[in-house]
Amino acid sequence: MASNKSNEAVESFPMNAGDGPYSYTHNSFGQKKGIDSVKALIVEGIAEKLETKPSQNIVRIADLGCSVGPNTFFAVEIIIESVKLKFQTDGIDSDSLEFCVFFNDHVSNDFNTLFKSIPLDNKYYAAGVPGSFHDRLFAKASLDFVHSSYALQWLSKVPTEIVDKQSPAWNKGKIYYTNSPKEVEEAYRKQFGKDIESFLNARATEIVSGGLMSFIIPGVPPSSKCTLTAVMDLMGCALMDLASMGLIEEEKVDSFNLPLYFPTPNELGSLIENNGYFSVENMEALVVHSTSDVHSTALHLRAGSDILITQHFGNHQIIEKLFDQFKNKIIESSVLTDPTYKPSYSLFVLLKRKSY
Amino acid sequence: MASNKSNEAVESFPMNAGDGPYSYTHNSFGQKKGIDSVKALIVEGIAEKLETKPSQNIVRIADLGCSVGPNTFFAVEIIIESVKLKFQTDGIDSDSLEFCVFFNDHVSNDFNTLFKSIPLDNKYYAAGVPGSFHDRLFAKASLDFVHSSYALQWLSKVPTEIVDKQSPAWNKGKIYYTNSPKEVEEAYRKQFGKDIESFLNARATEIVSGGLMSFIIPGVPPSSKCTLTAVMDLMGCALMDLASMGLIEEEKVDSFNLPLYFPTPNELGSLIENNGYFSVENMEALVVHSTSDVHSTALHLRAGSDILITQHFGNHQIIEKLFDQFKNKIIESSVLTDPTYKPSYSLFVLLKRKSY
């Protein structure tokens, strides 16, 4: 039986903890914007697709990759209110329904901060579940609704080929697959495919027959230049600048790669279809990430990559310099304003566990 | 619906976090000794009293007041192995049984450390549940087995009367009820009674009909002097010494009281009977706390009271001095060696939720 481990086989990439100025807590506005946009889609999805049972007393909900809040609490509130409404609409008394909410993230997530920020007026029994969502986290058929916001783009690990000097996929002088050899992009795509497959397999076992899963993941338009991936590449350029200045070793840049992948809508749809356990009830590509503000773009990236960079380069001193350089690169490149760069999507997906 | 709150109505008294030399992790040997002693009682209790159902796929277990480990993991392992054995004995295939374990403690508990120390070879799905066990923590009828080790002696709060200068129960110059006016002991007893009642009421709702609950709580022999309570009093004397030296204010000692109560076996039995939701399947008074080692006694008390004292006196500087003084008091008083002082018990209790 697979179960949640403290020493994970897959790697974890925690968001900045606590609630300081560079914390994820204070720099996840993009994500909040995304959740607001999909609020109506979740409400509608539950109203139309949730199967209510008159005998049901407990509704179990999980938010996978919840980080430290506050977005996870908004999402959970929306789901709970929507489920109650659906029971009422179906003529079932929802007053005696009780909700259990499982907040999941890696063992390295700051659960202490998360627990302290659970809203006082919460209408649910809260639990934290440590572990990778690429593995099993819950008992069989024990979840009614699973949600995940902006978490599935994180790969379980950097593809091994791209840090192998002997491989045609070696990603020299780069930290991402934008503008890299096609072998690099292919390695990323393969890893993402594997990760989505293991994610869907685990959830297929954990979600009840007919249960729902919604998730939001940043995505890219097919065959266009995209602001999001261009910006990732610019962080690599900023790191190479630091290497030229002698502040870090170039080899260290060669061996550093962001464990992130952004699929196109079709690509994601195919992966779900090939997996076969879920039917796609809805998929929408929302444009919510469009911003021309350099500072907030940099801050946003920083909340997600600070720890990764510090861990790899072993030197927290470079962070300020790096993000200054990164902001300059963004301004010089005009990727935020040039209309040939398309904005990224927030892909909203609503899946239903096929009957078993 | 009551539920677990981040800003608790009841107070919390966390054990020392992390794994430093004064941490609970490294100074909970007394508790481990207690768990070893009751291991056989848990195995036997589950073998004789657990009701197995052939259709059951998931067994849900909670450890309430789990602190940061490692004792909670030993206890949970024993329970899981015993449940599997019972299913096998009853001729039910236990291979497909899945176990969910909920580790509960106050929001202020160090869940990050707890999660990192979950054993790698765990055979269960782990979750952390923040909140006071004097309130509801879980959905109705959602737990099969509840355990609690050395946690129920912690009161939800210091009785208000004993810090009220106008009350006959004012506990001047003392931090505990040993050698205090009878009104002080009465106030402690009343608070303990209320706390056990709210604990049992909450669990009566959460545990399935016929489900089991085991707990271990330090207890005292009836009408005898007891080492454990005498030692608590000596810590008060040590604090008063610090006040005489001008290191802390005497008023601060007057307003400080340990939120701990140790019942006699009969007293605990009466509270459970009066509550009425559970039948007592077993109760045993084990002597496991007997030690004549001054240093380990002081260290043990320290792991549980460091934070309380630091918070109240607002000065971590006094801690070393206080525990030196405390050790001197223990040696001078000879409460660890004088045979008129009886050792405390570990009261092991096995309860069954009456049918509903």
Side-chain angles (χ1 to χ4, degrees):
Chain A
M1 182 170 76
S3 53
N4 42 12
K5 304 295 187 206
S6 60
N7 192 345
E8 299 164 15
V10 298
E11 294 172 49
S12 69
F13 312 103
M15 302 294 103
N16 276 354
D19 63 355
Y22 300 115
S23 67
Y24 179 80
T25 305
H26 287 177
N27 292 290
S28 43
F29 306 121
Q31 282 82 348
K32 175 66 169 63
K33 220 168 139 194
I35 288 167
D36 287 343
S37 307
V38 298
K39 181 175 168 169
L41 293 172
I42 290 178
V43 174
E44 180 193 300
I46 289 176
E48 290 178 7
K49 306 293 182 181
L50 187 78
E51 297 174 8
T52 56
K53 296 172 212 77
S55 63
Q56 188 165 10
N57 298 313
I58 303 175
V59 178
R60 291 188 171 90
I61 297 164
D63 185 7
L64 306 183
C66 64
S67 190
V68 290
N71 292 339
T72 184
F73 307 123
F74 299 136
V76 159
E77 284 293 329
I78 292 166
I79 294 164
I80 290 177
E81 288 312 311
S82 303
V83 171
K84 279 187 186 168
L85 196 65
K86 173 63 172 167
F87 271 75
Q88 286 160 17
T89 308
D90 289 358
I92 306 171
D93 176 26
S94 71
D95 289 351
S96 62
L97 266 190
E98 294 191 319
F99 292 87
C100 298
V101 177
F102 300 98
F103 296 101
N104 156 261
D105 212 316
H106 283 286
V107 169
S108 53
N109 187 51
D110 188 355
F111 282 95
N112 290 347
T113 296
L114 176 75
F115 286 167
K116 281 174 190 129
S117 51
I118 294 173
L120 287 180
D121 60 348
N122 70 326
K123 299 286 195 296
Y124 50 85
Y125 298 105
V129 172
S132 162
F133 57 49
H134 294 108
D135 291 326
R136 287 282 305 284
L137 294 166
F138 302 94
K140 277 178 202 147
S142 67
L143 296 174
D144 299 289
F145 195 102
V146 168
H147 181 68
S148 181
S149 263
Y150 299 104
L152 278 165
Q153 74 274 21
W154 288 97
L155 299 177
S156 66
K157 60 175 186 179
V158 169
T160 45
E161 310 91 289
I162 70 171
V163 287
D164 174 3
K165 284 187 188 177
Q166 312 307 323
S167 168
W170 185 37
N171 202 20
K172 181 167 172 51
K174 294 271 176 190
I175 65 164
Y176 203 58
Y177 54 84
T178 327
N179 303 323
S180 287
K182 70 172 191 321
E183 287 88 353
V184 175
E185 186 167 355
E186 189 48 37
Y188 266 96
R189 178 177 295 121
K190 234 173 77 186
Q191 186 61 49
F192 180 73
K194 274 189 207 167
D195 286 348
I196 289 290
E197 175 75 4
S198 58
F199 174 82
L200 292 175
N201 287 344
R203 302 299 87 72
T205 307
E206 295 165 354
I207 296 175
V208 296
S209 180
L212 297 177
M213 170 154 70
S214 63
F215 58 86
I216 315 168
I217 178 173
V220 293
S223 39
S224 301
K225 290 197 288 186
C226 174
T227 317
L228 180 62
T229 49
V231 161
M232 298 285 159
D233 193 35
L234 292 175
M235 197 192 282
C237 299
L239 277 165
M240 285 302 276
D241 285 353
L242 263 59
S244 321
M245 295 173 200
L247 297 173
I248 52 175
E249 290 169 42
E250 196 177 320
E251 280 216 335
K252 280 274 188 188
V253 183
D254 293 344
S255 60
F256 180 71
N257 291 278
L258 291 170
L260 285 165
Y261 185 82
F262 306 109
T264 64
N266 279 346
E267 195 178 355
L268 185 60
S270 298
L271 288 169
I272 296 164
E273 203 181 314
N274 291 342
N275 172 264
Y277 286 120
F278 294 89
S279 58
V280 179
E281 302 294 329
N282 193 13
M283 184 186 285
E284 307 212 7
L286 308 159
V287 176
V288 290
H289 284 123
S290 183
T291 174
S292 56
D293 183 59
V294 174
H295 186 68
S296 73
T297 301
L299 264 187
H300 178 67
L301 257 293
R302 178 167 181 166
S305 58
D306 235 14
I307 294 177
L308 276 181
I309 290 169
T310 308
Q311 278 177 352
H312 184 83
F313 293 94
N315 180 0
H316 196 265
Q317 317 286 304
I318 64 160
I319 290 286
E320 291 302 329
K321 182 75 187 160
L322 172 64
F323 281 90
D324 282 346
Q325 200 68 16
F326 179 42
K327 277 190 266 187
N328 292 340
K329 288 279 168 195
I330 297 173
I331 294 162
E332 284 168 19
S333 72
S334 70
V335 291
L336 297 185
T337 46
D338 178 345
T340 64
Y341 285 91
K342 303 294 174 203
S344 58
Y345 305 133
S346 270
L347 297 176
F348 171 81
V349 184
L350 181 71
L351 302 181
K352 185 172 213 159
R353 176 66 173 97
K354 292 180 183 170
S355 296
Y356 60 89
Chain B
M1 181 172 76
S3 53
N4 41 9
K5 304 296 188 204
S6 61
N7 192 344
E8 300 164 15
V10 297
E11 297 172 47
S12 70
F13 312 103
M15 303 294 103
N16 277 354
D19 63 355
Y22 300 115
S23 67
Y24 179 79
T25 304
H26 288 176
N27 292 290
S28 44
F29 306 121
Q31 282 82 346
K32 174 65 169 62
K33 220 170 140 193
I35 288 166
D36 287 342
S37 307
V38 299
K39 180 176 168 169
L41 293 171
I42 291 178
V43 174
E44 180 194 301
I46 289 175
E48 291 178 6
K49 307 293 181 180
L50 187 78
E51 297 173 10
T52 56
K53 297 173 211 77
S55 63
Q56 188 166 10
N57 297 315
I58 303 175
V59 178
R60 291 187 171 91
I61 296 164
D63 185 8
L64 307 182
C66 65
S67 190
V68 289
N71 292 337
T72 185
F73 307 122
F74 299 135
V76 158
E77 283 293 328
I78 292 167
I79 294 163
I80 289 176
E81 288 311 311
S82 303
V83 171
K84 278 188 188 169
L85 197 64
K86 173 63 170 164
F87 270 75
Q88 286 160 16
T89 308
D90 290 359
I92 306 170
D93 176 27
S94 71
D95 288 351
S96 62
L97 266 189
E98 293 191 318
F99 292 87
C100 299
V101 176
F102 300 97
F103 295 100
N104 156 261
D105 212 315
H106 285 286
V107 169
S108 53
N109 187 51
D110 187 354
F111 282 95
N112 289 348
T113 296
L114 176 75
F115 286 167
K116 281 172 191 133
S117 51
I118 294 174
L120 286 180
D121 59 347
N122 70 327
K123 299 287 194 297
Y124 48 85
Y125 298 104
V129 172
S132 162
F133 57 49
H134 294 107
D135 292 326
R136 287 283 306 283
L137 294 165
F138 302 95
K140 277 178 203 147
S142 67
L143 296 175
D144 299 290
F145 194 101
V146 169
H147 181 68
S148 181
S149 263
Y150 299 103
L152 279 165
Q153 74 273 21
W154 289 97
L155 300 176
S156 66
K157 60 175 185 178
V158 168
T160 45
E161 311 92 290
I162 71 170
V163 287
D164 175 4
K165 283 187 188 176
Q166 312 307 320
S167 166
W170 186 36
N171 202 20
K172 181 169 171 50
K174 294 273 178 191
I175 66 163
Y176 203 58
Y177 54 84
T178 327
N179 303 322
S180 286
K182 69 175 190 323
E183 287 87 352
V184 175
E185 186 168 354
E186 189 48 37
Y188 266 97
R189 179 176 296 120
K190 235 173 76 185
Q191 186 62 50
F192 180 72
K194 273 188 207 167
D195 287 346
I196 290 289
E197 175 75 4
S198 59
F199 174 82
L200 292 175
N201 286 344
R203 300 301 85 74
T205 307
E206 295 164 355
I207 296 175
V208 296
S209 181
L212 297 177
M213 170 154 69
S214 63
F215 59 84
I216 315 169
I217 177 173
V220 294
S223 39
S224 302
K225 291 196 288 187
C226 175
T227 317
L228 180 62
T229 50
V231 162
M232 298 284 161
D233 194 34
L234 292 175
M235 195 192 284
C237 299
L239 278 164
M240 285 302 276
D241 286 353
L242 263 60
S244 321
M245 296 173 200
L247 297 174
I248 51 174
E249 290 168 43
E250 195 176 320
E251 280 214 336
K252 279 273 189 189
V253 184
D254 294 345
S255 61
F256 180 71
N257 291 278
L258 291 169
L260 284 166
Y261 185 83
F262 305 109
T264 65
N266 279 347
E267 194 178 356
L268 185 60
S270 297
L271 288 168
I272 296 164
E273 203 179 315
N274 290 341
N275 172 264
Y277 286 120
F278 294 90
S279 58
V280 179
E281 301 294 328
N282 193 13
M283 184 187 285
E284 306 212 7
L286 309 159
V287 177
V288 289
H289 285 124
S290 184
T291 175
S292 55
D293 182 58
V294 173
H295 186 68
S296 73
T297 302
L299 264 187
H300 178 66
L301 258 293
R302 178 166 181 168
S305 58
D306 236 14
I307 294 175
L308 276 181
I309 290 169
T310 308
Q311 277 177 350
H312 184 83
F313 293 95
N315 180 359
H316 196 265
Q317 316 286 303
I318 64 160
I319 289 285
E320 291 300 330
K321 181 77 187 158
L322 172 64
F323 280 91
D324 282 345
Q325 200 68 18
F326 178 42
K327 277 190 263 186
N328 292 341
K329 288 279 169 197
I330 296 173
I331 294 163
E332 283 167 21
S333 72
S334 69
V335 292
L336 296 185
T337 46
D338 178 345
T340 64
Y341 286 91
K342 303 292 174 203
S344 58
Y345 304 133
S346 270
L347 298 176
F348 171 80
V349 185
L350 181 71
L351 302 181
K352 184 171 212 161
R353 176 66 173 97
K354 291 179 184 170
S355 295
Y356 59 89

